[in-house]
Amino acid sequence: MGTVGINFGAATSGGGFDVTTTVASMVANLKAVETPWTTQLTTLKAQDTAFTSMGTDLATLSTSLLALTDFQGVMAAKQGSSSDTNLLALTSAGPTAVAGSHTIVVTKLAQTSSQYSATVPASDVLSGALTIQVGIGTPTTIPVVSGTSDTLTSYAAAINLADIGVTASIISDTAGSRLSLVSNTSGLAGQLTVTSGGTTPETSVTTAAGASVASTSSVAATSTFTLPASTAELSGTFSYSVGGGSANTVDLGAIPLPLTATVAALNSATGFSGAGLIASTSGAKLVITGSTGVATIDTSGSSLTTTTPVATYSALTDTSVGTTGTAVVMNTGLTGQNAQLTVDGLSVDSASNTVSTAIPGVTFQLLSADNSTNIQVQIANDNITVATAFSTFVGAYNAVVKDIKTQEGLDPSGNPEPLYGNTVISQLQSSLSLALTSGTASGTVKSLYQMGISVNQDGTLALNSTTLDSALNSNYQDVVGYLQNAESFGLKFQNSLDQLGNQSPVGAITLALRANSTQETTFNSNVTAEDALIAIKQASLTQQLNLANEILQAIPQQLDEVNQLYSAMTGYNTSSSH
């Protein structure tokens, strides 16, 4: 530890000295004890940076290898082609597809069943019902509900709401509007059977809440319950409050009441009419109307059940004036049918023109039928994608080798790299070299060299694309086995990478970073503890030196006082000139 001098000039000058600068010099001298620790910390941090960068490159190498060793990865990828894309288009060839050629003849395309109605003016009022059956499913009667679904558009909405496996829409042109029904199931299984009229079974459901509309200066408040049909019946408890007041109830009983009887029961209930309310019906709706000026009618507390009794409906009919009750006739658009084709001479039926079960792992689209044309579907291994994956692996390996070479040399300033001489570097180098020759043979493939991969003098890899393509074309499954079989090169190399990088808790880089972290914690603790001691010493030194400085600065004044006392006692003026 060095010494620190104090420069304050002549003692009688009164100039004192710079306490702050003096203390700072002393503290710097005291902190010299920390230099070995901070130097070690700098070295360890540089090593951490190098280790982390190398770990990232090893992780990239591991990912590139996984693309080749994954059973569902690039080695399983397939590509396909069709000899006649006007008749058949290949959609996909998945990992389970097997390379080979197939002959397909398309004799019939699949069709989705559809029906359409005769032309009906969009504003005309309908009555009656249609009964719709999809395939061999249960027939469902969809009745027209007066005021709710009694136009072509609203009736189509009612069919869709029934969710019976058919989509209804309105098609309009210069001739008028038509109801279109299309099965949601393609092929024979979705064949539509549509008949006019029908019978609905009895149903009981919880009544949907009434829709309340507030009053205006000219329109009274209302609360409207929309029911499935005008024949619907209600039971349970009806609750109402007016203008935010207290709630009242009317018990309709457990036996369902027709709408007319429900209206009568409400209007005769004590307090209902006194609250200014009137019940009425409008088609399949129960309407509660208040007197003008009533803010709102709240019926949300009602607990009602809607029962729709068995009902028989006549044919779907246009009842508007001038139609004389014209029946709305339904016509067949397309008949549901399955696609028919042969695959390598085997007859295949498909409900859809998208076929995914005729050739394992392959999906194709039938576009047209021609029983006189043989379509050749070729499924091949995706050599281009595989070659790209091999190139990525070689590039990732070479990046790691470059990292190792860098750490074995000097930086641009001529100083050793952070990991120069580190045992982890030699471990990485030897493990990677040995891993290149690990793994058992797979058929005719016994080494990376047979797949076009060779080792350069500097330890990097080179890829011969021609050799690789030849191996893929002649011994594809052997190449796959060399990468993916038990005890294969691919699996053993992956295991080696797991033992080296920072992705595994036992990887060499992981352990090195952990060891560095332990040392860094110790050195940081030493620095922190020493800084605390130095802070105490700094405070003490500052106090002592400030006191000494005050004494030095007071000397001239003290000398002046002595001189004055001497003059008073002797009469001799020490300041006079001689």
Side-chain angles (χ1 to χ4, degrees):
M1 182 182 297
T3 59
V4 177
I6 302 176
N7 181 17
F8 49 81
T12 59
S13 67
F17 58 91
D18 188 341
V19 173
T20 301
T21 301
T22 303
V23 171
S25 298
M26 290 180 173
V27 169
N29 210 12
L30 291 172
K31 287 182 73 69
V33 72
E34 299 178 356
T35 300
W37 302 330
T38 55
T39 300
Q40 282 283 62
L41 282 169
T42 300
T43 300
L44 291 171
K45 290 296 185 183
Q47 289 181 358
D48 290 346
T49 299
F51 275 135
T52 300
S53 176
M54 193 170 293
T56 299
D57 285 345
L58 281 168
T60 300
L61 176 58
S62 179
T63 300
S64 69
L65 179 63
L66 181 62
L68 296 168
T69 58
D70 183 3
F71 293 145
Q72 302 295 314
V74 296
M75 299 304 296
K78 298 292 185 295
Q79 57 184 358
S81 62
S82 166
S83 63
D84 192 332
T85 54
N86 292 318
L87 301 180
L88 183 149
L90 198 71
T91 303
S92 65
T96 58
V98 178
S101 180
H102 303 274
T103 301
I104 298 177
V105 178
V106 182
T107 56
K108 184 185 292 186
L109 293 181
Q111 290 186 167
T112 300
S113 178
S114 65
Q115 294 210 10
Y116 63 93
S117 73
T119 302
V120 177
S123 60
D124 279 10
V125 177
L126 305 178
S127 67
L130 289 178
T131 297
I132 303 170
Q133 180 181 17
V134 180
I136 60 173
T138 302
T140 302
T141 299
I142 310 294
V144 171
V145 178
S146 177
T148 300
S149 61
D150 56 1
T151 64
L152 213 56
T153 299
S154 59
Y155 187 57
I159 294 173
N160 290 331
L161 188 63
D163 193 22
I164 57 174
V166 63
T167 298
S169 61
I170 303 302
I171 298 175
S172 300
D173 57 19
T174 56
S177 299
R178 283 163 288 184
L179 173 67
S180 169
L181 303 178
V182 179
S183 176
N184 292 345
T185 304
S186 64
L188 190 59
Q191 176 63 32
L192 295 181
T193 302
V194 181
T195 56
S196 276
T199 301
T200 56
E202 180 178 282
T203 59
S204 291
V205 296
T206 300
T207 306
S212 295
V213 177
S215 67
T216 65
S217 58
S218 59
V219 178
T222 60
S223 180
T224 303
F225 292 82
T226 301
L227 307 175
S230 59
T231 56
E233 301 174 343
L234 293 175
S235 58
T237 303
F238 180 85
S239 173
Y240 65 94
S241 65
V242 178
S246 59
N248 298 279
T249 60
V250 177
D251 187 0
L252 299 178
I255 299 175
L257 298 176
L259 279 180
T260 53
T262 299
V263 167
L266 292 175
N267 287 333
S268 63
T270 302
F272 186 83
S273 58
L277 301 180
I278 300 174
S280 62
T281 62
S282 176
K285 297 177 181 179
L286 171 64
V287 182
I288 310 300
T289 305
S291 57
T292 303
V294 172
T296 58
I297 303 172
D298 184 5
T299 58
S300 60
S302 299
S303 179
L304 299 171
T305 298
T306 300
T307 300
T308 305
V310 174
T312 299
Y313 297 89
S314 60
L316 186 65
T317 303
D318 183 351
T319 61
S320 293
V321 176
T323 63
T324 64
T326 303
V328 179
V329 178
M330 297 299 296
N331 305 286
T332 299
L334 291 176
T335 301
Q337 68 180 28
N338 291 344
Q340 294 181 355
L341 59 154
T342 61
V343 180
D344 299 328
L346 176 66
S347 295
V348 175
D349 258 23
S350 173
S352 169
N353 288 320
T354 300
V355 183
S356 58
T357 57
I359 302 175
V362 177
T363 300
F364 53 86
Q365 187 77 22
L366 304 180
L367 302 176
S368 186
D370 184 351
N371 57 13
S372 64
T373 300
N374 290 338
I375 306 167
Q376 298 302 316
V377 172
Q378 188 72 34
I379 307 301
N381 298 310
D382 191 353
N383 287 8
I384 295 176
T385 301
V386 171
T388 299
F390 267 88
S391 179
T392 300
F393 168 75
V394 168
Y397 182 92
N398 290 343
V400 174
V401 171
K402 181 180 178 182
D403 290 341
I404 294 173
K405 292 292 183 183
T406 297
Q407 294 302 317
E408 289 178 327
L410 305 178
D411 65 18
S413 300
N415 300 313
E417 291 286 350
L419 300 180
Y420 184 89
N422 194 294
T423 57
V424 174
I425 294 300
S426 59
Q427 180 183 354
L428 289 173
Q429 193 170 41
S430 61
S431 295
L432 289 174
S433 297
L434 288 172
L436 289 176
T437 58
S438 64
T440 57
S442 171
T444 59
V445 178
K446 300 179 175 62
S447 69
L448 289 176
Y449 185 78
Q450 291 175 270
M451 296 185 293
I453 296 178
S454 57
V455 183
N456 298 317
Q457 288 186 349
D458 63 357
T460 59
L461 300 181
L463 177 63
N464 187 312
S465 300
T466 302
T467 304
L468 174 61
D469 193 56
S470 177
L472 294 175
N473 287 329
S474 58
N475 301 297
Y476 194 89
Q477 291 306 315
D478 290 347
V479 174
V480 173
Y482 193 74
L483 295 168
Q484 298 180 0
N485 287 348
E487 302 299 317
S488 67
F489 157 77
L491 297 186
K492 286 195 171 183
F493 198 97
Q494 185 64 62
N495 184 61
S496 295
L497 291 178
D498 290 341
Q499 301 301 314
L500 296 176
N502 57 359
Q503 303 297 301
S504 166
V506 296
I509 290 181
T510 299
L511 297 177
L513 287 170
R514 190 180 301 159
N516 279 7
S517 177
T518 300
Q519 293 185 69
E520 289 163 10
T521 299
T522 299
F523 291 140
N524 280 318
S525 296
N526 291 344
V527 170
T528 300
E530 188 65 23
D531 282 344
L533 292 175
I534 290 173
I536 295 173
K537 291 180 180 180
Q538 182 178 5
S540 176
L541 284 170
T542 301
Q543 182 180 14
Q544 293 174 27
L545 291 177
N546 278 332
L547 179 60
N549 198 34
E550 290 173 2
I551 293 173
L552 285 172
Q553 291 173 338
I555 287 176
Q557 181 180 352
Q558 292 173 350
L559 287 174
D560 186 57
E561 291 175 351
V562 169
N563 287 335
Q564 291 179 14
L565 179 62
Y566 179 79
S567 297
M569 294 174 62
T570 63
Y572 178 75
N573 186 357
T574 58
S575 62
S576 63
S577 301
H578 296 284

